[in-house]
Amino acid sequence: ADAAAAYRPLARAHEELRGGSDDGARRARDAARAVDDDLASALRADVVATEAVDEVKELATCLVLRLLGSIHKDDVVAVISIVEKWVRGPEALLKHVAVEDLHKAILAPIAQLAALLAGGLQKRKVDADATPLAAYANGISSESQVPSEDASAENVEQPQHAGMSRSVSTSGLAQLGSSLLAESSEVPGASPRAGRAAKYSLSSTKYVNAPAPADDGRNDPFRDALRDKLRSVLTGAKGCVNKGGGFAQEVLDRLTFVLANERGFFWDASYAGSCVDALALDAALCCRLASKLKNLITTPQRKTEPKGPEATRRLTFFVNSLLMDLPPPPPLDAAVSLTTLTPFYSEDVILSAGDLRRKNADGVTTLLYLQTLYKADWHAFLERRGLSETRAHAECFSPAHVLETRLWASFRAQTLARTVEGMMQNEAALRLLARLERVNDARRARRRRGPRASRRYAAACDESPTHPHITLDDLLKLKFGYVVTCQIYGRQRKQADPKADDIELLLTRFPLLRVAYIDEQRVNRSGASAFYSVLVKGDGKRGVAEVYRVRLPGNAIIGEGKPENQNHAIVFTRGETLQTIDMNQDGFFEEALKTRNLTQEFRTPRPAGAPPVTIVGFREHIFTGSVSSLANYMALQELSFVTLGQRVLADPLRMRLHYGHPDIFDKLWFATRGGVSKASKGINLSEDIFAGYTALIRGGAVTMKEYAQVGKGRDVGMQQIYKFEAKLSQGNAEQCLARDVSRVAHRLDFPRLLSYYFGGIGHYINSALTVLTIQVATYLTLLLAVYGAESIGHRLVVPLGALQVVLAGLGLLNTLPLLATLAVERGLLTAARDVAQVFASGGPLYFVFHIQTRAHYFMQTLLAGGATYRATGRGFVTTHNAFDEQYRFFASSHLYLGVELAAALALMGAHTAAGQYAGRTWSLWLACGAFLLAPFWFNPLGFSWPHVAEDFATWQRWISFGTTGGTASDSWDVWYKEETAPLRRLSHRSKCVVSLKAVLYVVLAKGLFDFSGKAAARRLVGFAYAALALGALQLCVYLVDRIAHRLPYALHRLVQMFLGVASLAVVIGEVVAKPASLKFAISAYYLLAALAVLGTLWGGEGPSSFGYRGSTGVFSHLVPALTRNLARCHDLAIGYCYFAFFLPLAAVRVVDVVQTWLLFHNALSEGVVVDDILKQARQSQESSGAKDQAEELQKLRRQVEMQQQSIAALLAGAPERAAEFASGYPPRAELANVSSDPAVNGSAPPRRSSTSDFLPSSAGPSPSAPSGHDGFTFSSPETLPPRPYSNL
């Protein structure tokens, strides 16, 4: 419109000045052409708008042609052809069309017409007696003959117009046209071109020769509405065309003919009805076209952009990837075939309704969590299923919607269903590509360029009736396959596990999906079993059909479970390439379109002497990064290593090995060189990397491409991440012992060896050296301060604390590559905000914490072995972890070291005289704080008062002396044995190395307090008296706890309080009276620590520990008991210090709010309010679930009442009546009298039976419960035996 407003004055000025000033006319013409060129450039630049206009034209042309029918086809096609010629040159379009009026005159009526078609076409019922549209076409083709060039007026039969609804119609125009045609034919010298031009004029006989059917007069509102809307479209089109000669006049004439033809759509009701009926016969397609046309016209551009951040990210990456260096894809039948393999054990397949309804400790269900995290997706799901938001909680689990609800939730969790759904997008992508490439579904002639004999053989095969011809489905099976290796699927089927049903549902949902499993069958009575590797597929009837069964020489799982699970299913893969995908990954349709490009990387030409490409890696997107700050850290860590690190290792360092599961292997190459998965127990714990070692040692090349990506889920909880890092650390420690690493180290040149070191096991070696350096620096400075060796001669050593701060600032340079990558992908401001958010939410604590995780398990595996696979569990972490559970996880690896460093730094601060304490120790305090606080800072609701109080009670029960047996989660003793087992497995040489720490403790204790001299002896005696008094008080506390059940509660609490105050008074009095006692206590603590270290390493655990027999001497009994008690006292001291720190913070509500906000800040930025989860949980409990909860409470109340009545009846000596109550049903007498009960009839409130109803009326002593009564029964075996009424 703006171009037209600028163009027309210039065009008029050019016409006015053409006869006058040539310069003015030329300037006006040049200016008009400049406007035209700008418009053409703008149209060419805006590809999206140009394609949208083309799509609108195609859809509108299709619908208008089908609606108007064959009578108006020639005129409509001619008009569209002329307009297309104008569009090719914008100057002609601006000259002949009023562009500024197009929207109001044409587009708006077309949108209304499309909306009318989309809304009413499917409701139209086609009349069986109506005249078919083909009859009109046949009549026109047989009777409507175009007049020849020598036609005369006498040869034209004039139709009769009796019964016409319009008295003055186009018959007069037709007669006028006929006479003009006759006159032109009689004119001497008339050219044949004039006759040909006349057949497109008013005399076209197709308007007059067709028989005139009578109007049936049916009342058809839908047809009439369509005619009115279409008439508005054509009338508006006439108004937009500028009158003039040439093609503009022809457009106007043809539009006039269409509107005025009495046998056409607008005046012949029967013909119009037939046209509409013809559309109604194909209503589904026409409604889709009409809806799309309406949306293209009426939807503003701002609404066409994706609203969700995930859709925006995917589309942005896909569009950007098309500008990268992609190899040209071959035709579909020549593409490299691919098979995807996914190992699966017993993880979640599809979340069940029980899983979605299950509440965590905070009362939040999984479905509520997903609804809050994916609000927009949930609203879209409700809209698709036709559910109201108010009743969605109850209706989504109805039989009609429960399956779709389960799938919706499973596609947003780390489940097998999500992985299968994503990987099977390859099938959908291949079907689309086949349709675009016009792959015929019938006979496929595979004729390729080659020798003449090959072409003759292909032609002979095509003509042979016995040669199999490939259909599209067969071609898809050849080009793509997906095998899920469900290792225990056979066992799950035998046990009727719901996961087996879910797997069968996936087989039914995806016909190309295959499942491989190991089947164990018993062959004789002695217990011998035969093992088979079985492949099954869906039979199309919600069942499975067996495809292959291969007998194995024995159980295939003899090494590491995951690689063995992959190896037994390799035989069922048919592709030339193999992709091993883990079950926590996802696929995208737009990325599946580029799978042919990825597999073509194996066939691209390479320079002479270059190794063949054997592994092709590509990017991973962590889709769990928006859950919490921890998940965001994992996502950034993966981006830094998987994308940035692997990119540089692949090019230019040429040292990328296999990492992760999205990589694609050249299966034929690896099958002849040992396979893709090595599975030796322990040594191949990290099976991924050994495929890269195989490729490197045997002359293969590994490349990395960034134009494709898959989704990947990561661990989102602190404990999950901890187990993941521990598994990787143990795997890398085992790699250090593998011969593959030895071969790589001996054969690589030095630059590539450095690249391998820093990109592989060197990362874990550096972590171990970093933690060792922290300990050495801390104890070295402490010993110098304690022994007064901080000076050289009489001059103190001047520490450079300020320089250390400056050098530490250089460590921030490590974040620059990540910042640059985020700036390119997300923008500079967003990247800076994300990096600042990482620092503000405690990111440094997280990364320093896991340096120690890697160091601890790396060194432990090197010294003691014991590498094992750790199942991290890929669920949602929305609950609070108890303190005792956190302590069990992190005490040995982090908390002990953190306490040790904190004590050493505090002692150094008390003894140092060198100054600049903060500058020298801030980095050490940062590491110490990370080891001590990170597990609790990243624990949801870790500073909430109710949770802290509950954690304290739970921790006391767990660590108490009276709790023994069970598992590590039940008893401190069991946990202690498990944690110290690796130390006792050490060799004597390794034990000697670890014993150096005991020597360090003794040296430090000697420096803290000098034990020699008479003064030291007197202090020792005084300290011993205080220690004995404190021990006596603690013994009293123990005795009081033992007889607590015999004391009144108030007296028990009073005695406990008195003993606690007395113990505190003894400690404070001793420290105040003799300040050196504190120093002596610390020194003694270090001596006891040295004793505990030596006792743990060399003392053993007695004859019955861990199932082996040892010495039965006093030493083997006394030392383990002493060591165990010292360790318990140490853990008690640490625990009380923690709670002394947590309780004041929990009392201040601000700390809890700040922690929650920072922990879930990444989710908050995505529009998720964490408080809404708890709020909606309470609302669901109070409103939507009120009815269910009322029923549940009523049931529980009735059950409690029955139990009370059963106990009372038992105490009253009526065991039969008690048994009836215990069964959960009232006695028969009550059932018989229920109709006569006034409470039932509503005349009186119901009376609840009480215990007194069944007790004797005498006031004597209460009788005891009968012992050994034969009639006494319980409905539940867990019910306790009856107790005397006096103890109730």
Side-chain angles (χ1 to χ4, degrees):
D2 296 338
Y7 173 82
R8 288 207 175 83
L10 297 174
R12 285 197 297 269
H14 170 64
E15 294 293 337
E16 293 174 357
L17 297 175
R18 180 179 294 180
S21 173
D22 294 339
D23 295 337
R26 185 172 61 255
R27 285 195 299 269
R29 182 191 60 192
D30 294 341
R33 289 181 176 176
V35 173
D36 169 58
D37 294 339
D38 294 340
L39 176 60
S41 301
L43 291 176
R44 286 192 296 268
D46 196 348
V47 180
V48 177
T50 304
E51 292 181 353
V53 170
D54 291 340
E55 196 166 3
V56 168
K57 182 209 59 169
E58 293 175 0
L59 292 173
T61 302
C62 177
L63 290 176
V64 170
L65 283 175
R66 298 189 65 172
L67 188 58
L68 290 177
S70 56
I71 289 181
H72 304 294
K73 179 179 179 181
D74 293 341
D75 293 317
V76 174
V77 170
V79 169
I80 293 174
S81 301
I82 294 173
V83 174
E84 285 182 346
K85 291 181 181 179
W86 290 346
V87 172
R88 295 191 190 102
E91 186 176 1
L93 181 65
L94 295 174
K95 180 178 180 182
H96 295 98
V97 180
V99 182
E100 61 274 15
D101 299 333
L102 286 178
H103 186 273
K104 181 179 180 181
I106 299 179
L107 295 181
I110 285 180
Q112 297 173 4
L113 174 65
L116 185 62
L117 283 172
L121 198 58
Q122 288 185 335
K123 302 177 182 178
R124 182 177 180 84
K125 296 182 179 180
V126 180
D127 190 0
D129 298 333
T131 305
L133 188 61
Y136 294 92
N138 295 333
I140 291 172
S141 62
S142 60
E143 299 177 10
S144 177
Q145 301 293 335
V146 177
S148 59
E149 295 179 356
D150 56 349
S152 60
E154 290 77 12
N155 296 331
V156 179
E157 180 183 358
Q158 301 299 330
Q160 302 295 328
H161 303 290
M164 292 180 57
S165 60
R166 183 181 183 189
S167 58
V168 180
S169 65
T170 56
S171 58
L173 296 176
Q175 292 176 2
L176 178 61
S178 301
S179 61
L180 292 175
L181 177 61
E183 291 176 2
S184 63
S185 61
E186 293 175 357
V187 174
S191 64
R193 180 175 298 179
R196 286 194 298 270
K199 70 180 181 180
Y200 295 108
S201 63
L202 293 172
S203 62
S204 181
T205 58
K206 70 178 181 180
Y207 300 113
V208 296
N209 282 357
D215 193 349
D216 55 4
R218 290 184 304 164
N219 185 16
D220 192 346
F222 181 65
R223 176 201 62 194
D224 296 338
L226 289 176
R227 294 164 78 177
D228 293 340
K229 295 298 182 184
L230 189 55
R231 184 180 290 110
S232 301
V233 173
L234 298 182
T235 304
K238 287 180 60 178
C240 290
V241 178
N242 299 325
K243 295 182 180 181
F247 290 108
Q249 186 61 41
E250 184 173 353
V251 169
L252 292 173
D253 291 343
R254 289 186 177 276
L255 292 176
T256 302
F257 299 156
V258 173
L259 290 169
N261 185 8
E262 62 186 10
R263 295 295 179 261
F265 182 80
F266 297 100
W267 297 104
D268 191 340
S270 178
Y271 174 75
S274 299
C275 292
V276 178
D277 289 341
L279 284 179
L281 293 175
D282 196 7
L285 176 61
C286 293
C287 287
R288 290 176 57 190
L289 297 178
S291 299
K292 189 171 185 179
L293 176 61
K294 171 182 172 294
N295 294 333
L296 284 172
I297 296 175
T298 60
T299 305
Q301 184 176 359
R302 58 182 177 83
K303 291 187 178 181
T304 60
E305 298 178 356
K307 296 181 180 179
E310 177 64 14
T312 303
R313 184 201 63 80
R314 286 174 55 178
L315 289 176
T316 303
F317 180 84
F318 178 72
V319 174
N320 291 336
S321 66
L322 298 180
L323 305 178
M324 299 180 185
D325 187 15
L326 279 75
L332 187 60
D333 59 344
V336 180
S337 56
L338 170 69
T339 301
T340 301
L341 192 68
T342 296
F344 173 81
Y345 186 69
S346 62
E347 296 86 351
D348 291 330
V349 181
I350 300 176
L351 297 178
S352 64
D355 295 333
L356 298 180
R357 289 174 169 173
R358 186 177 299 116
K359 298 178 182 179
N360 60 11
D362 301 320
V364 179
T365 63
T366 303
L367 182 61
L368 177 61
Y369 177 80
L370 291 173
Q371 290 173 1
T372 310
L373 193 60
Y374 303 100
K375 286 184 178 179
D377 295 354
W378 177 248
H379 293 324
F381 172 75
L382 296 181
E383 183 180 351
R384 289 196 306 269
R385 303 300 299 177
L387 300 176
S388 61
E389 189 172 356
T390 56
R391 302 184 58 188
H393 180 74
E395 293 179 352
C396 64
F397 291 107
S398 62
H401 305 289
V402 62
L403 179 58
E404 292 299 325
T405 303
R406 293 174 56 200
L407 290 174
W408 180 88
S410 301
F411 292 159
R412 284 152 185 83
Q414 299 186 46
T415 59
L416 180 64
R418 179 173 190 165
T419 304
V420 172
E421 182 79 14
M423 293 302 105
M424 292 308 293
Q425 297 295 333
N426 286 283
E427 179 189 357
L430 289 177
R431 289 188 182 276
L432 176 61
L433 294 173
R435 190 179 70 180
L436 295 177
E437 295 181 5
R438 304 184 185 279
V439 176
N440 193 2
D441 206 9
R443 301 170 62 89
R444 296 274 317 152
R446 298 177 59 112
R447 299 181 180 179
R448 302 179 182 176
R449 292 185 178 181
R452 182 177 302 176
S454 299
R455 294 201 301 269
R456 286 200 301 266
Y457 174 75
C461 291
D462 294 336
E463 296 172 0
S464 172
T466 59
H467 191 273
H469 297 283
I470 301 176
T471 63
L472 176 58
D473 289 338
D474 294 335
L475 183 62
L476 293 179
K477 294 177 183 178
L478 289 176
K479 296 305 174 183
F480 175 72
Y482 189 25
V483 179
V484 180
T485 62
C486 303
Q487 178 181 333
I488 59 172
Y489 168 70
R491 189 192 313 167
Q492 291 173 336
R493 288 189 64 186
K494 295 176 183 177
Q495 298 174 355
D497 194 332
K499 292 181 180 180
D501 297 333
D502 295 339
I503 293 173
E504 293 170 6
L505 175 61
L506 295 178
L507 287 172
T508 306
R509 187 179 176 92
F510 302 104
L512 291 186
L513 177 64
R514 301 291 183 264
V515 169
Y517 67 96
I518 298 176
D519 188 21
E520 180 180 0
Q521 294 184 358
R522 187 174 177 179
V523 295
N524 55 36
R525 294 182 179 179
S526 62
S529 299
F531 295 88
Y532 298 87
S533 184
V534 185
L535 183 73
V536 297
K537 66 177 182 179
D539 60 358
K541 301 178 182 178
R542 196 63 188 275
V544 296
E546 188 172 304
V547 182
Y548 296 109
R549 176 177 289 269
V550 180
R551 180 156 185 173
L552 303 174
N555 189 2
I557 312 300
I558 58 177
E560 293 293 337
K562 188 176 179 180
E564 293 282 24
N565 193 15
Q566 294 180 167
N567 287 335
H568 92 90
I570 293 290
V571 67
F572 301 127
T573 60
R574 293 291 182 266
E576 302 168 81
T577 57
L578 178 66
Q579 183 183 28
T580 53
I581 285 287
D582 205 355
M583 69 136 293
N584 63 333
Q585 300 197 238
D586 194 6
F588 311 116
F589 175 78
E590 68 276 7
E591 300 303 319
L593 297 173
K594 296 177 286 188
T595 302
R596 288 191 301 173
N597 304 82
L598 278 173
T599 55
Q600 193 63 22
E601 295 285 350
F602 296 99
R603 302 292 185 266
T604 53
R606 62 180 187 273
V613 175
T614 57
I615 301 178
V616 176
F618 50 98
R619 294 181 50 151
E620 291 177 321
H621 166 69
I622 308 302
F623 55 74
T624 55
S626 61
V627 175
S628 64
S629 295
L630 285 175
N632 186 36
Y633 301 156
M634 287 294 291
L636 294 177
Q637 184 175 336
E638 290 292 317
L639 176 65
S640 177
F641 177 70
V642 178
T643 300
L644 300 182
Q646 300 297 308
R647 173 197 300 166
V648 176
L649 287 173
D651 187 18
L653 298 180
R654 306 296 180 186
M655 266 309 299
R656 183 185 186 271
L657 303 176
H658 173 51
Y659 170 79
H661 289 80
D663 290 3
I664 300 178
F665 298 89
D666 187 344
K667 194 188 79 170
L668 301 180
W669 193 90
F670 273 93
T672 58
R673 291 166 177 83
V676 299
S677 299
K678 294 185 177 181
S680 298
K681 195 70 174 178
I683 200 74
N684 296 128
L685 179 62
S686 299
E687 84 284 354
D688 309 334
I689 192 66
F690 286 93
Y693 289 149
T694 300
L696 179 63
I697 294 173
R698 298 179 181 270
V702 182
T703 184
M704 171 77 175
K705 300 299 176 183
E706 298 194 45
Y707 56 78
Q709 67 173 353
V710 294
K712 188 175 183 66
R714 274 301 182 198
D715 308 294
V716 297
M718 195 65 176
Q719 294 182 7
Q720 294 178 348
I721 299 173
Y722 176 81
K723 290 190 287 187
F724 174 75
E725 293 286 353
K727 180 184 69 174
L728 293 184
S729 302
Q730 290 184 326
N732 277 269
E734 293 288 351
Q735 290 178 41
C736 295
L737 310 177
R739 60 173 60 95
D740 300 77
V741 175
S742 176
R743 292 169 180 168
V744 168
H746 281 85
R747 299 180 185 182
L748 286 178
D749 54 89
F750 186 69
R752 296 184 70 195
L753 186 60
L754 290 179
S755 301
Y756 163 70
Y757 175 82
F758 287 102
I761 58 177
H763 178 64
Y764 296 87
I765 296 176
N766 289 344
S767 297
L769 293 178
T770 300
V771 174
L772 179 62
T773 303
I774 291 174
Q775 298 182 59
V776 170
T778 301
Y779 279 107
L780 182 60
T781 54
L782 174 61
L783 292 175
L784 291 176
V786 166
Y787 282 95
E790 293 181 317
S791 61
I792 300 176
H794 298 285
R795 298 177 57 187
L796 290 175
V797 176
V798 180
L800 300 177
L803 180 60
Q804 292 185 24
V805 174
V806 174
L807 293 177
L810 297 179
L812 298 177
L813 296 177
N814 293 328
T815 62
L816 288 182
L818 179 62
L819 180 63
T821 302
L822 293 177
V824 172
E825 296 186 355
R826 307 179 188 177
L828 182 59
L829 293 179
T830 304
R833 183 196 63 191
D834 292 344
V835 174
Q837 171 192 329
V838 169
F839 282 93
S841 59
L845 297 179
Y846 166 83
F847 292 108
V848 174
F849 179 86
H850 283 299
I851 289 177
Q852 167 59 12
T853 304
R854 291 188 287 268
H856 174 78
Y857 283 99
F858 183 79
M859 294 303 299
Q860 182 189 86
T861 307
L862 284 180
L863 294 176
T868 181
Y869 180 81
R870 297 171 183 263
T872 57
R874 301 182 174 100
F876 299 102
V877 179
T878 59
T879 184
H880 170 80
N881 294 317
F883 178 83
D884 61 310
E885 184 179 358
Q886 295 282 89
Y887 197 88
R888 287 192 299 271
F889 260 90
F890 306 113
S892 298
S893 58
H894 294 82
L895 302 187
Y896 290 162
L897 179 60
V899 170
E900 186 179 341
L901 292 177
L905 291 173
L907 291 174
M908 187 188 73
H911 290 81
T912 184
Q916 298 189 21
Y917 176 77
R920 296 161 55 196
T921 62
W922 72 269
S923 58
L924 301 176
W925 276 112
L926 175 63
C928 176
F931 299 158
L932 291 175
L933 298 179
F936 308 100
W937 173 255
F938 293 108
N939 184 24
L941 303 177
F943 297 96
S944 174
W945 178 266
H947 291 85
V948 172
E950 183 181 358
D951 290 350
F952 182 68
T954 306
W955 175 75
Q956 280 188 316
R957 286 195 302 268
W958 174 74
I959 204 172
S960 63
F961 288 88
T963 307
T964 58
T967 63
S969 60
D970 301 324
S971 169
W972 179 90
D973 293 274
V974 179
W975 170 78
Y976 173 76
K977 292 177 182 179
E978 293 180 358
E979 288 297 319
T980 55
L983 293 177
R984 290 188 295 273
R985 289 199 306 264
L986 294 176
S987 63
H988 291 290
R989 184 180 302 176
S990 299
K991 286 183 179 181
C992 292
V993 174
V994 179
S995 299
L996 293 177
K997 198 132 192 200
V999 176
L1000 174 64
Y1001 292 157
V1002 173
V1003 173
L1004 184 58
K1006 176 66 172 62
L1008 290 174
F1009 190 85
D1010 191 0
F1011 294 90
S1012 60
K1014 296 183 179 180
R1018 289 195 298 269
R1019 293 173 185 173
L1020 180 60
V1021 172
F1023 183 81
Y1025 287 147
L1028 287 176
L1030 185 62
L1033 291 174
Q1034 293 302 312
L1035 179 61
C1036 293
V1037 171
Y1038 172 76
L1039 295 176
V1040 169
D1041 289 337
R1042 297 288 294 179
I1043 62 174
H1045 62 284
R1046 299 183 180 180
L1047 299 177
Y1049 178 77
L1051 180 61
H1052 176 225
R1053 299 299 297 174
L1054 181 62
V1055 173
Q1056 274 192 331
M1057 184 177 65
F1058 174 77
L1059 293 175
V1061 172
S1063 301
L1064 185 62
V1066 169
V1067 173
I1068 295 176
E1070 178 68 18
V1071 172
V1072 172
K1074 301 176 182 178
S1077 298
L1078 180 62
K1079 196 173 183 180
F1080 184 82
I1082 296 175
S1083 178
Y1085 200 87
Y1086 274 103
L1087 289 177
L1088 292 176
L1091 180 62
V1093 170
L1094 295 176
T1096 303
L1097 290 172
W1098 304 94
E1101 271 292 326
S1104 60
S1105 299
F1106 300 99
Y1108 68 86
R1109 295 182 178 180
S1111 174
T1112 59
V1114 177
F1115 180 82
S1116 60
H1117 288 281
L1118 180 60
V1119 173
L1122 178 61
T1123 303
R1124 185 168 58 253
N1125 289 322
L1126 288 176
R1128 191 194 300 268
C1129 294
H1130 180 64
D1131 289 340
L1132 281 168
I1134 294 176
Y1136 282 120
C1137 290
Y1138 264 114
F1139 282 105
F1141 176 73
F1142 288 160
L1143 288 174
L1145 295 180
V1148 182
R1149 174 64 178 167
V1150 178
V1151 179
D1152 183 26
V1153 174
V1154 171
Q1155 184 220 15
T1156 302
W1157 188 86
L1158 290 176
L1159 183 59
F1160 294 99
H1161 177 76
N1162 202 54
L1164 292 170
S1165 64
E1166 300 291 340
V1168 179
V1169 181
V1170 178
D1171 291 340
D1172 285 352
I1173 297 178
L1174 299 177
K1175 184 190 302 182
Q1176 293 183 24
R1178 289 191 294 267
Q1179 291 177 355
S1180 63
Q1181 293 173 358
E1182 296 173 0
S1183 60
S1184 63
K1187 182 178 179 181
D1188 297 337
Q1189 289 186 355
E1191 295 177 355
E1192 185 178 356
L1193 288 176
Q1194 184 178 2
K1195 182 178 179 181
L1196 291 175
R1197 190 180 297 112
R1198 181 63 176 168
Q1199 184 177 358
V1200 172
E1201 181 181 346
M1202 288 295 179
Q1203 291 176 355
Q1204 291 175 351
Q1205 294 176 358
S1206 175
I1207 295 174
L1210 181 64
L1211 296 177
E1216 295 82 1
R1217 190 177 180 86
E1220 292 179 351
F1221 279 113
S1223 63
Y1225 298 96
R1228 298 183 182 89
E1230 292 189 5
L1231 292 176
N1233 299 329
V1234 69
S1235 60
S1236 61
D1237 191 356
V1240 177
N1241 298 328
S1243 59
R1247 177 177 176 272
R1248 179 178 299 176
S1249 300
S1250 62
T1251 308
S1252 61
D1253 296 338
F1254 303 95
L1255 292 178
S1257 57
S1258 63
S1262 302
S1264 301
S1267 59
H1269 200 283
D1270 296 336
F1272 181 77
T1273 59
F1274 285 99
S1275 60
S1276 175
E1278 289 83 6
T1279 308
L1280 293 176
R1283 295 181 296 173
Y1285 178 68
S1286 59
N1287 294 334
L1288 291 178

